[in-house]
Amino acid sequence: MTELSGGPSLPQRRKLVTEIPGPLSRELMARKQAAVAAGVGTVMPVFAARAGGGVVEDVDGNSLIDFGSGIAVTSVGNSAEAVVRRAGEQLARFTHTCAMVTPYEGYVEVCEELAALTPGDHAKKSILLNSGAEAVENAVKIARYHTKRQAVVVFEHGYHGRTNLTMALTAKSMPYKHGFGPFAPEIYRVPMAYPYRWPTGPEHCAEEAAAQVIDQITKQIGASETAAIVVEPVLGEGGFIVPARGFLPRVAAFAKEHGIVLIADEIQSGFCRTGQWFACEDEGIVPDLITTAKGIAGGLPLAAVTGRAEVMDAVHSGGLGGTYGGNPVACAAALGAIETMRELDLAARARHIEEIMKPRLLALAEKHPLIGDVRGRGAMLAVEIVKPGTKDPDPAATAAVAAACHRAGLVVLTTGTYGNVLRFLPPLVIGDDLLREGLDIVAEAVAGA
């Protein structure tokens, strides 16, 4: 390994040698502003040079603790050994033929793994794609083709992508939808069982929210007109909302009763992130279709739709696909990522991360009333920041806490419909010492807000 290499060999420590951002990052930011479209925003104004395990090293030599994982992508760590090995071997063989022209074994192997790993013991098939948004869009296409229906039901606070159809599915306007309409039709939004903000309290949330969803579909949309219900088992960009327990099983039962395709969007929550291979397993949900991306391939672009064989096979030959979908190098990386998840039991590791992080976050909430809620599962955790004594969102305080973390060398992300949620997505291979040091930084930032 050379001095410039990253991956697991990178020293696992926080080290600040300049202010954040440093001079080289500032120079690169000036170049970015001159060459890259302004619509491509930046969370943290540092430029990465190498990364691995639980750290990201920037071009100035600062080593930052990573609580972001590239938005839940590098769950197995950056440049994980099996990912690099398998992708490198494939890179030397061939980089592309198009799976629709001359297919290759890696595509088939990834689909076989998805059939084995995703919930349910029914026959399954998959298609491979490039991004989460493309996966969701194809899942809707398949559901509509299979059911011969048009309506698609989605949820408040949901996020599903940035294409025209997935913008329509997404709840939040700014920055995802603002100014980009008109959007695709036949999309209907229903309440989400959001325990912290449910009007009659969390104890009534599951029952009342499910009743409202079923009532709206039945009376306003028509169950017989509904092709699909698309839901994140743990919401991502909407604020890491964990639906009240019992809500998802009731919605799933209603979908099954009426022949509605249940699509679980596991793009952010899948692949061991929440302490199980897939978040819908927590309540025994077996979706008809499941969309995956992000953590699937250790940092390379890959996504999938996996589902019941009879649903997936409904579409005519040639109706699904894409030039780059299931790229051979990305497929090899996915097989390496899955190998790593199995060998290191990263689902168990995610549960261990929760055991370290959640008590600290709950203790922080007890001490600081600006933390209104602590929630999440596994290594997908968040705090919701409010004006003390109320549940009024406080996005300004959230931004201030995040900025303080950044200055101290901790990569964190904000999220939420109201912009007031601080989310934590550490790589599942991060060491306990880095986790605790990162939490110390969060505590200092909250105290100073």
Side-chain angles (χ1 to χ4, degrees):
M1 304 292 282
T2 69
E3 185 181 349
L4 296 177
S5 65
S9 66
L10 197 62
Q12 296 297 293
R13 65 177 185 272
R14 180 176 66 110
K15 181 180 69 171
L16 299 184
V17 297
T18 73
E19 72 277 23
I20 302 292
L24 293 179
S25 280
R26 292 198 298 270
E27 288 178 17
L28 284 167
M29 184 59 70
R31 289 171 55 188
K32 174 184 181 291
Q33 290 168 346
V36 179
V40 181
T42 300
V43 171
M44 191 170 178
V46 298
F47 281 74
R50 53 184 185 163
V55 298
V56 175
E57 186 175 296
D58 73 9
V59 291
D60 291 287
N62 298 298
S63 181
L64 316 170
I65 299 173
D66 185 8
F67 274 16
S69 300
I71 317 183
V73 169
T74 55
S75 296
V76 296
N78 259 290
S79 300
E81 185 277 329
V83 172
V84 172
R85 170 172 45 82
R86 287 184 179 242
E89 290 169 355
Q90 179 57 51
L91 193 64
R93 286 193 293 267
F94 63 91
T95 56
H96 175 76
T97 65
C98 185
M100 300 181 300
V101 178
T102 55
Y104 34 86
E105 186 178 5
Y107 191 114
V108 177
E109 284 185 281
V110 172
C111 293
E112 289 171 339
E113 288 283 20
L114 288 167
L117 291 169
T118 51
D121 56 6
H122 51 277
K124 302 173 206 160
K125 293 188 177 182
S126 296
I127 58 170
L128 302 183
L129 304 149
N130 301 293
S131 70
E134 193 179 359
V136 173
E137 188 140 342
N138 274 272
V140 170
K141 284 168 54 178
I142 293 165
R144 283 175 164 164
Y145 200 107
H146 171 72
T147 61
K148 305 297 186 281
R149 304 172 184 176
Q150 301 300 315
V152 178
V153 173
V154 290
F155 291 84
E156 293 174 352
H157 308 288
Y159 175 86
H160 301 287
R162 296 175 184 259
T163 63
N164 185 271
L165 175 59
T166 56
M167 281 190 295
L169 301 175
T170 291
K172 187 175 180 179
S173 176
M174 181 62 80
Y176 306 116
K177 300 166 68 172
H178 177 74
F180 296 132
F183 301 116
E186 288 297 310
I187 308 299
Y188 300 89
R189 200 168 313 282
V190 295
M192 169 48 65
Y194 187 168
Y196 178 64
R197 295 193 174 274
W198 195 254
T200 59
E203 66 274 16
H204 303 295
C205 182
E207 180 181 350
E208 292 178 0
Q212 288 185 29
V213 168
I214 291 168
D215 184 68
Q216 286 188 30
I217 295 174
T218 302
K219 294 179 181 175
Q220 299 179 29
I221 305 165
S224 64
E225 304 297 319
T226 302
I229 296 173
V230 186
V231 64
E232 300 163 274
V234 176
L235 277 68
E237 301 300 310
F240 280 31
I241 300 163
V242 180
R245 198 161 189 83
F247 172 77
L248 290 177
R250 190 165 174 198
V251 170
F254 174 80
K256 183 177 181 179
E257 179 184 355
H258 294 278
I260 300 168
V261 175
L262 181 66
I263 302 172
D265 180 342
E266 292 257 16
I267 287 157
Q268 191 160 168
S269 60
F271 288 99
C272 301
R273 173 57 56 181
T274 64
Q276 292 168 301
W277 277 89
F278 298 97
C280 56
E281 295 178 80
D282 183 66
E283 290 191 85
I285 305 299
V286 179
D288 300 301
L289 302 178
I290 183 168
T291 61
T292 53
K294 290 193 183 290
I296 191 174
L300 274 72
L302 188 69
V305 182
T306 303
R308 297 184 183 278
E310 66 272 21
V311 179
M312 297 294 294
D313 280 346
V315 179
H316 57 273
S317 179
L320 302 173
T323 302
Y324 289 105
N327 169 269
V329 180
C331 285
L335 294 170
I338 291 167
E339 174 188 327
T340 303
M341 292 173 201
R342 281 201 180 101
E343 286 188 357
L344 301 182
D345 193 358
L346 291 188
R349 179 65 191 167
R351 296 192 296 272
H352 176 73
I353 289 170
E354 179 181 353
E355 289 170 359
I356 291 176
M357 293 191 71
K358 208 165 199 179
R360 286 284 305 274
L361 295 173
L362 289 167
L364 204 58
E366 286 288 325
K367 187 175 180 181
H368 299 284
L370 83 166
I371 297 179
D373 193 28
V374 176
R375 55 179 177 257
R377 292 207 305 267
M380 187 174 180
L381 301 170
V383 295
E384 180 161 355
I385 295 177
V386 296
K387 295 176 181 177
T390 75
K391 289 189 177 182
D392 296 341
D394 196 339
T398 308
V401 171
C405 290
H406 296 165
R407 289 191 299 271
L410 175 66
V411 179
V412 294
L413 308 170
T414 60
T415 190
T417 299
Y418 312 109
N420 71 318
V421 176
L422 197 66
R423 58 176 160 173
F424 307 110
L425 292 162
L428 303 183
V429 295
I430 192 171
D432 291 359
D433 289 348
L434 284 177
L435 272 180
R436 294 189 175 97
E437 187 176 359
L439 288 166
D440 290 341
I441 293 170
V442 172
E444 290 175 12
V446 169

